[in-house]
Amino acid sequence: MSIMDFQVVVLGGGVSKKLHPLVSQELPKALLPVANRPVLSYVLESLELSNLKDLIVVVEGEDTALHVGGWISGAYADRLHVEVAAVPEDVGTAGAIRAIAHHLTAKDILVVSGDLVSDVPLGAVAATHRRHDAVVTAMLCSAPVSGPSESVSSGGKDKTKKPGRYDLIGLDPTKQFLLHIATGAEVEKDLRIQKSISRAVGQIEIRADLMDAHLYAFKRSVLLEVLDQKGAFHSLKHDVLPYLVRSQLRSEVLLNGIPQAEENGTEKVISQSNQQMLSQILANASEPTFHLRHALCPNGSTSVRRTHKCCVYIAGSSKYCARLNSLQAYIDINRDVIGEANHLSGYSFSAHNNIIHPSAELGAKTTVGPHCMLGEGSQMGDKCSVKRSVIGRHCRIGASVKVVNSVVMNHVTIGDSCSIQGSVICSNVQLQERAVLKDCQVGAGFVVTAGSECKGEVLAKK
């Protein structure tokens, strides 16, 4: 079976509250521009490169489905076979899969977040999953460090570069099997339990420098069974994946007809017999006889134990991998895609290491630095300066305007002598002359009055 037999589900989201005021009914998250093209295009092109062309894009709400479906049918008509499915808002990632379960027919399903911007070959994750005959294979990548040191978080408080709190991941010594995962708030309490497990087994490597990229290959039958049995599960990352990982460590062997202890509370400290079982599993995990060996009871009779393997694909440290799931990530990813990861942009950069559309016009003594992008039909007046920023299509920018570390979307009008730093300006915004913005987000169609000075604010129509 080739990886083309995978069905792919892309979770496109809806109008995420975390990305207010950048998103709206007219501009759902999937269509947010990154380097002047919708963020969803990065996942779709990555799938196309891996020859994974049978896709279901799941979005929240009928309005979002219309906008996203309209864009896909224009951009990918002859290239991909895409169905767009609308699910209710706030059903979570697990609920989204439940809602489209009847469309899933392939043996294996690749589930990818529509906000992933990455150059990791997605086909390699699918191939790893097949090779191990795993129930789930999760892609892990190096945890990014957020924000350039001169830019600040959306609150404007925090000047230093620091890694966010990501995931605590337990791997076997061969780094192929996922033995533990905890995220966010769970990390503190799970670490203590995890130490007792690692002492018992002596073979778990704990990593805090990797993040779960929200790209999973699942065995369809197991995924749908778990979603069916566990109706309260809301999230693939927080509910389904930890459940599958935990149940690897649980013995389901019936010894003399007596079931072994089940999970006690959230996590069971592994009993003696389970320790042996686990170290055996680890020792033999890479062998093809893995499944058979563990289908036998100690006395040689077959048992009801259903082993399953949770595997990982760890992306190389030189690979780019980020998710657009916060305002800071939005600025970071735009900066990266026209900067160090510019091979992802799909554009060819000039000798000055920037992209200025042939139809854009620049006034006298105006400079557009490296790692910048100026979109089609945009015009800039005299003595302007643009650094590490993306400017969209058909913008009208006056004289003596400074734009640094910012994203300006389409059809924005900026008056003379404005200064914009670390900010996101949505489409059809009007900045009147001498406005100064630092670390602000300005929602679509907003008018910033002349001479305004704003720092760390969200400016949006009520």
Side-chain angles (χ1 to χ4, degrees):
M1 289 170 81
S2 78
I3 62 163
M4 290 170 65
D5 317 324
F6 271 78
Q7 250 176 317
V8 182
V9 178
V10 179
L11 299 172
V15 181
S16 163
K17 296 179 185 67
K18 284 197 286 193
L19 293 167
H20 173 79
L22 278 51
V23 293
S24 61
Q25 290 299 341
E26 293 69 47
L27 186 70
K29 176 180 173 177
L31 299 184
L32 265 183
V34 168
N36 289 344
R37 43 180 268 224
V39 64
L40 184 59
S41 68
Y42 291 85
V43 160
L44 298 186
E45 302 207 352
S46 183
L47 289 165
E48 185 182 32
L49 278 174
S50 283
N51 219 9
L52 291 159
K53 297 183 178 179
D54 178 15
L55 322 180
I56 302 172
V57 174
V58 185
V59 294
E60 294 179 6
E62 297 290 345
D63 280 359
T64 303
L66 282 172
H67 288 294
V68 172
W71 168 73
I72 289 175
S73 56
Y76 294 94
D78 321 328
R79 295 162 51 184
L80 299 172
H81 175 256
V82 183
E83 278 181 67
V84 177
V87 299
E89 288 179 32
D90 302 325
V91 293
T93 51
I97 303 287
R98 269 192 206 96
I100 59 150
H102 56 289
H103 290 292
L104 302 178
T105 52
K107 174 177 179 272
D108 293 294
I109 310 293
L110 194 68
V111 179
V112 53
S113 182
D115 62 7
L116 182 69
V117 178
S118 177
D119 53 8
V120 177
L122 304 187
V125 183
T128 298
H129 180 73
R130 278 279 160 83
R131 191 172 68 246
H132 286 301
D133 189 29
V135 295
V136 63
T137 302
M139 178 169 113
L140 306 177
C141 52
S142 301
V145 174
S146 172
S149 41
E150 68 259 59
S151 96
V152 289
S153 64
S154 50
K157 307 276 187 299
D158 182 3
K159 292 268 185 198
T160 53
K161 260 195 170 196
K162 65 175 197 306
R165 282 181 61 191
Y166 288 100
D167 305 313
L168 202 64
I169 288 165
L171 302 174
D172 76 300
T174 68
K175 299 183 181 49
Q176 298 177 82
F177 299 94
L178 182 59
L179 303 175
H180 179 80
I181 185 156
T183 49
E186 304 160 26
V187 165
E188 303 303 319
K189 72 172 201 289
D190 274 4
L191 186 55
R192 288 199 297 275
I193 296 167
Q194 191 59 39
K195 277 184 178 155
S196 66
I197 292 178
S198 62
R199 269 199 301 275
V201 180
Q203 292 212 21
I204 294 187
E205 179 181 318
I206 305 292
R207 298 283 294 267
D209 59 335
L210 294 172
M211 84 169 188
D212 169 2
H214 212 290
L215 186 148
Y216 310 116
F218 287 104
K219 193 170 281 184
R220 177 187 57 103
S221 56
V222 174
L223 175 62
L224 297 188
E225 184 184 355
V226 170
L227 291 175
D228 185 44
Q229 289 173 1
K230 305 282 180 186
F233 279 5
H234 187 75
S235 158
L236 295 176
K237 178 183 168 93
H238 296 289
D239 298 322
V240 175
L241 182 62
Y243 173 77
L244 288 172
V245 170
R246 273 200 314 270
S247 49
Q248 288 181 117
L249 299 182
R250 185 198 306 157
S251 168
E252 292 179 13
V253 179
L254 288 168
L255 288 177
N256 309 325
I258 305 162
Q260 295 293 293
E262 278 291 309
E263 283 182 78
N264 144 22
T266 52
E267 191 89 41
K268 182 166 80 68
V269 177
I270 299 182
S271 67
Q272 284 305 132
S273 64
N274 279 6
Q275 275 174 42
Q276 288 165 345
M277 172 82 65
L278 182 60
S279 29
Q280 249 183 322
I281 288 178
L282 292 180
N284 306 312
S286 317
E287 296 178 20
T289 55
F290 177 83
H291 278 84
L292 298 173
R293 185 183 296 265
H294 295 288
L296 297 175
C297 268
N299 64 8
S301 64
T302 41
S303 74
V304 297
R305 177 171 175 74
R306 294 161 52 188
T307 62
H308 64 238
K309 289 190 279 188
C310 299
C311 293
V312 292
Y313 176 90
I314 302 179
S317 55
S318 62
K319 292 291 186 190
Y320 184 79
C321 181
R323 287 187 60 203
L324 197 170
N325 52 10
S326 68
L327 293 170
Q328 182 64 54
Y330 182 70
I331 288 195
D332 290 347
I333 292 171
N334 269 282
R335 188 194 62 239
D336 293 343
V337 168
I338 53 170
E340 64 196 47
N342 66 21
H343 58 285
L344 278 165
S345 70
Y347 303 101
S348 49
F349 282 67
S350 72
H352 301 292
N353 212 359
N354 59 23
I355 305 169
I356 297 175
H357 194 277
S359 63
E361 295 175 22
L362 302 183
K365 296 187 179 169
T366 282
T367 58
V368 177
H371 307 322
C372 286
M373 185 168 197
L374 185 58
E376 180 186 352
S378 286
Q379 296 174 356
M380 302 190 75
D382 299 343
K383 297 184 182 168
C384 291
S385 160
V386 182
K387 295 178 179 170
R388 295 182 301 281
S389 296
V390 176
I391 293 174
R393 299 180 182 88
H394 305 295
C395 293
R396 296 285 170 272
I397 297 172
S400 305
V401 171
K402 285 190 170 57
V403 183
V404 183
N405 273 336
S406 295
V407 179
V408 177
M409 295 188 197
N410 302 329
H411 300 283
V412 172
T413 305
I414 300 176
D416 295 349
S417 306
C418 286
S419 168
I420 301 164
Q421 189 178 337
S423 297
V424 180
I425 315 292
C426 294
S427 293
N428 301 302
V429 163
Q430 193 179 341
L431 262 69
Q432 296 178 348
E433 63 277 7
R434 301 184 317 286
V436 177
L437 299 182
K438 186 166 189 228
D439 304 317
C440 292
Q441 296 88 39
V442 186
F446 192 83
V447 177
V448 180
T449 52
S452 302
E453 292 196 16
C454 304
K455 185 173 178 185
E457 290 183 47
V458 172
L459 307 171
K461 288 179 167 176
K462 292 288 173 275

